[in-house]
Amino acid sequence: MSTKRIVGIGLLIVGLGLLFFGFQATDTLTEEVHETLTGRFTDETTWYLIGGAAAAVVGLLLTLFGGKR
């Protein structure tokens, strides 16, 4: 297994974990109140979701197309 694929699997796992915690955070009382008052999530929750999605996509691409050595 190439190094790129191992890094891709790691990024995929980290990205999915960040997405999980981001989605869990959207259901908290604090987050719902903030969204009701401002119309958006807090910066921390937003970065969890954006960072998790980016890491998961890059990880998936590296895992699928990382190449063989």
Side-chain angles (χ1 to χ4, degrees), residues 16-26 45 48-49:
L16 291 175
L18 287 173
L19 280 172
F20 174 77
F21 287 119
F23 282 122
Q24 291 293 322
T26 60
T45 301
Y48 272 118
L49 294 172

